[in-house]
Amino acid sequence: MIHTANGMISTPSSSANAQSSGLKTYFKTPEGRYKLHYEKTHPSSLLHYTHGKTVTQVTLAHLKDKPAPSTPTGSSSSFSASTGVKSAAARWLGSGNGNRALSFVGGNGGSKSISSTSRIGSLGASSSSNSLTNTNFDGKGTYLISNVGDAIFISDLNSQDKDPIKSIHFSNSNPVCHAFDQDAKEGHDLLIGMNSGDVYSVSLRQQLQDVGKKLVGAQHYNKDGSVNNSRCTSITWVPGGDGAFVVAHADGNMYVYEKNKDAAGDSSFSVIKDQTQFSVSHARYSKTNPIARWHICQGSINSIAFSFDGAYLATVGRYGYLRVFDYSKEQLVCGGKSYYGAVLCCAWSMDGKYILTGGEDDLVQVWSMEDRKVVAWGEGHNSWVSGVVFDSYWSSPNADGTGETVMYRFGSVGQDTQLLLWDLEMDEIVVPLRRCTGGSPTYSTGSQSSHWDNVSPLGTLQPASSIRDVPKISPLVAHRVHNEPLSGLIFTQDSVLTVCQEGHIKIWMRPGVAENQSSNTETLLSTSSKDKPSLSSKIGGPIYKQ
């Protein structure tokens, strides 16, 4: 697709280009049309061969209305003075879980500069760039953080410019994953995990104030792979963790850090006796980072996600297992195996009752925390499922608050370039009971644990389910949204964001939003974590079908 100068596709010529490439600029749902509003992409000067080194992940970062001290505000700034939307999943592609406010402690977010011997490269930035500030930055807004090749790009969500407003380049390694702490008041709120295993924490506001192309004020963890030299695969803040964060690696290990402790230290852990078993080892010294190592599995941990209250941590990996842990107790609660192949992504419902997973079996699996089982399979993708997330901002068009049926809306994207939207009404799911010895399974409607003759014992990893034992659901919408394989999606109050592996981002406005937009976009795109509605919506009518 050919982009216009401002990233819009609404002009006749751009619409023609979209149609000629086989991509429509809208898709229909029972509540109306979702329309492609504008797009974001990386600079055209970025060499194409660098794309394949990493898969693009996107994080949505909302900086609260708190102008940075001693930073002038430019009236003609390209950084729009607008508030924005915190995604229910922004982690959460990351990613960013809704965390408690974090205080500014230690050396985090200070004026510390990266030395010339650092692994961070400047790629054209002058040696004095760290001393220059961006006088047009007004200290607030909603931003998209994406990685493409050897760079991190930051775009203004509420600007229709397709090009990023900030780029940060790395010389010896590529950024792979990132996470933003929505509620951090001071200090570092952005984490970046590298292909080399290195981890950085920085202040997003400080990066936007600086005009250079390298990180400023960064804390450097696992420097040069001193603790673990395998690739970072997923990174997230611990909700309510007072600055704690977790980094997963490709060797099956996960490390817990605290940003208020020294980035470097003598962190040595006990030898892993059995690579096939889960184990936790704590650092010998309390002042070092990381403070703990969790050995999760053999093979890569592909994704991790906290429940929104921070009580549980889900991990998925190369050998096809979902594992759910009680984070504070450091105990395995439940989990199970995919139908086939690796599991690539996972996401929690806002109420913590359900977990979505997707992977190489082309299925979206719905796991119930109450039953500790798979309760539904979503069939609709033609290739690997690379991203799943619940839509916490959606409610049924006929919701009146009087019904007793709970409905969820969630989305998935895959390497088949498709976005799928699903409606999940729990009372319509048929749940197979346990198979009696020598007999056939029986079925009952609903997914409450009372329907099982016994729930799986705590800490049990279930084998792969049989096809006939799991209820099947079909997508409400299947729409090809990009020309390249997709790597993730984010739901906001007013839009759906999709991203492909090549680093192109599309913003699809929800029904009614585009028509009602005014010049005051900050009002339309404003929300906060305390305003987020409950994911489950009460409805009085039946679920919508295709």
Side-chain angles (χ1 to χ4, degrees), residues 246-257:
V246 177
V247 184
H249 288 263
D251 65 352
N253 288 306
M254 186 179 76
Y255 294 86
V256 182
Y257 293 81

Side-chain angles (χ1 to χ4, degrees), residues 433-498:
L433 300 183
R434 289 231 181 227
R435 187 186 302 274
C436 302
T437 304
S440 300
T442 57
Y443 296 84
S444 176
T445 59
S447 63
Q448 302 302 314
S449 29
S450 59
H451 292 311
W452 300 93
D453 43 14
N454 60 74
V455 177
S456 307
L458 198 68
T460 302
L461 290 177
Q462 297 296 315
S465 300
S466 169
I467 288 181
R468 61 179 178 175
D469 288 345
V470 181
K472 313 304 188 300
I473 59 175
S474 298
L476 177 77
V477 173
H479 183 66
R480 183 168 174 249
V481 291
H482 289 252
N483 285 314
E484 300 85 14
L486 300 176
S487 57
L489 79 161
I490 297 174
F491 288 108
T492 76
Q493 186 178 29
D494 295 294
S495 63
V496 178
L497 283 66
T498 56

Side-chain angles (χ1 to χ4, degrees), residues 322-392:
L322 163 73
R323 292 174 172 85
V324 182
F325 300 93
D326 184 311
Y327 180 71
S328 62
K329 294 181 180 178
E330 299 179 337
Q331 292 179 350
L332 178 66
V333 175
C334 60
K337 198 174 189 308
S338 65
Y339 180 68
Y340 171 81
V343 185
L344 305 176
C345 52
C346 59
W348 288 85
S349 64
M350 286 289 291
D351 55 17
K353 292 182 178 180
Y354 297 97
I355 306 170
L356 300 174
T357 63
E360 295 178 358
D361 55 12
D362 304 351
L363 298 172
V364 177
Q365 299 195 357
V366 183
W367 296 77
S368 167
M369 279 295 288
E370 185 176 29
D371 295 319
R372 298 196 281 274
K373 296 283 185 182
V374 175
V375 294
W377 276 354
E379 298 180 326
H381 280 288
N382 301 316
S383 188
W384 294 358
V385 180
S386 50
V388 289
V389 64
F390 281 96
D391 183 355
S392 66

Side-chain angles (χ1 to χ4, degrees), residues 224-347:
D224 300 328
S226 60
V227 177
N228 189 314
N229 61 5
S230 67
R231 173 174 51 91
C232 294
T233 56
S234 188
I235 192 167
T236 183
W237 294 97
V238 180
D242 291 327
F245 61 92
V246 177
V247 184
H249 288 263
D251 65 352
N253 288 306
M254 186 179 76
Y255 294 86
V256 182
Y257 293 81
E258 291 184 359
K259 76 171 187 178
N260 60 346
K261 293 185 178 180
D262 290 338
D266 182 17
S267 293
S268 55
F269 299 97
S270 58
V271 176
I272 300 173
K273 297 180 180 179
D274 187 347
Q275 292 283 343
T276 65
Q277 298 297 315
F278 165 66
S279 63
V280 178
S281 177
H282 294 271
R284 298 176 183 177
Y285 306 103
S286 60
K287 295 183 179 180
T288 61
N289 258 317
I291 63 172
R293 180 200 66 206
W294 292 37
H295 177 70
I296 304 295
C297 57
Q298 291 180 294
S300 175
I301 303 171
N302 291 329
S303 183
I304 58 177
F306 275 100
S307 59
F308 286 86
D309 60 2
Y312 296 101
L313 174 66
T315 71
V316 293
R318 174 182 176 184
Y319 291 111
Y321 279 96
L322 163 73
R323 292 174 172 85
V324 182
F325 300 93
D326 184 311
Y327 180 71
S328 62
K329 294 181 180 178
E330 299 179 337
Q331 292 179 350
L332 178 66
V333 175
C334 60
K337 198 174 189 308
S338 65
Y339 180 68
Y340 171 81
V343 185
L344 305 176
C345 52
C346 59

Side-chain angles (χ1 to χ4, degrees), residues 47-363:
L47 296 177
H48 183 78
Y49 72 84
T50 65
H51 297 185
K53 297 181 180 179
T54 58
V55 172
T56 298
Q57 174 195 323
V58 170
T59 296
L60 190 65
H62 174 57
L63 288 177
K64 297 181 179 179
D65 300 353
K66 181 183 178 183
S70 71
T71 302
T73 301
S75 58
S76 60
S77 171
S78 61
F79 296 81
S80 60
S82 57
T83 55
V85 178
K86 174 186 181 291
S87 165
R91 107 163 170 43
W92 304 323
L93 267 179
S95 295
N97 291 288
N99 301 337
R100 193 165 60 194
L102 306 176
S103 58
F104 175 40
V105 287
N108 299 325
S111 59
K112 175 182 174 183
S113 298
I114 304 299
S115 67
S116 58
T117 58
S118 167
R119 295 173 66 88
I120 301 178
S122 60
L123 289 187
S126 66
S127 60
S128 61
S129 63
N130 282 355
S131 62
L132 301 177
T133 59
N134 182 1
T135 57
N136 286 331
F137 177 61
D138 57 17
K140 57 186 178 181
T142 304
Y143 302 94
L144 294 172
I145 303 166
S146 60
N147 61 286
V148 184
D150 63 354
I152 288 280
F153 297 106
I154 304 174
S155 302
D156 187 342
L157 174 65
N158 298 327
S159 167
Q160 294 181 2
D161 290 337
K162 68 174 183 177
D163 293 326
I165 55 176
K166 172 76 176 183
S167 60
I168 301 171
H169 294 262
F170 300 81
S171 59
N172 296 332
S173 184
N174 291 344
V176 177
C177 50
H178 30 88
F180 180 77
D181 178 14
Q182 166 69 24
D183 296 317
K185 292 183 177 179
E186 301 285 353
H188 288 190
D189 48 20
L190 177 62
L191 301 170
I192 303 171
M194 307 296 292
N195 190 61
S196 60
D198 295 61
V199 177
Y200 299 98
S201 69
V202 296
S203 163
L204 175 60
R205 180 174 278 111
Q206 190 175 3
Q207 308 314 305
L208 290 170
Q209 290 171 343
D210 187 82
V211 298
K213 292 187 176 182
K214 56 183 177 180
L215 291 180
V216 291
Q219 282 279 59
H220 193 170
Y221 306 89
N222 190 30
K223 187 174 183 180
D224 300 328
S226 60
V227 177
N228 189 314
N229 61 5
S230 67
R231 173 174 51 91
C232 294
T233 56
S234 188
I235 192 167
T236 183
W237 294 97
V238 180
D242 291 327
F245 61 92
V246 177
V247 184
H249 288 263
D251 65 352
N253 288 306
M254 186 179 76
Y255 294 86
V256 182
Y257 293 81
E258 291 184 359
K259 76 171 187 178
N260 60 346
K261 293 185 178 180
D262 290 338
D266 182 17
S267 293
S268 55
F269 299 97
S270 58
V271 176
I272 300 173
K273 297 180 180 179
D274 187 347
Q275 292 283 343
T276 65
Q277 298 297 315
F278 165 66
S279 63
V280 178
S281 177
H282 294 271
R284 298 176 183 177
Y285 306 103
S286 60
K287 295 183 179 180
T288 61
N289 258 317
I291 63 172
R293 180 200 66 206
W294 292 37
H295 177 70
I296 304 295
C297 57
Q298 291 180 294
S300 175
I301 303 171
N302 291 329
S303 183
I304 58 177
F306 275 100
S307 59
F308 286 86
D309 60 2
Y312 296 101
L313 174 66
T315 71
V316 293
R318 174 182 176 184
Y319 291 111
Y321 279 96
L322 163 73
R323 292 174 172 85
V324 182
F325 300 93
D326 184 311
Y327 180 71
S328 62
K329 294 181 180 178
E330 299 179 337
Q331 292 179 350
L332 178 66
V333 175
C334 60
K337 198 174 189 308
S338 65
Y339 180 68
Y340 171 81
V343 185
L344 305 176
C345 52
C346 59
W348 288 85
S349 64
M350 286 289 291
D351 55 17
K353 292 182 178 180
Y354 297 97
I355 306 170
L356 300 174
T357 63
E360 295 178 358
D361 55 12
D362 304 351
L363 298 172

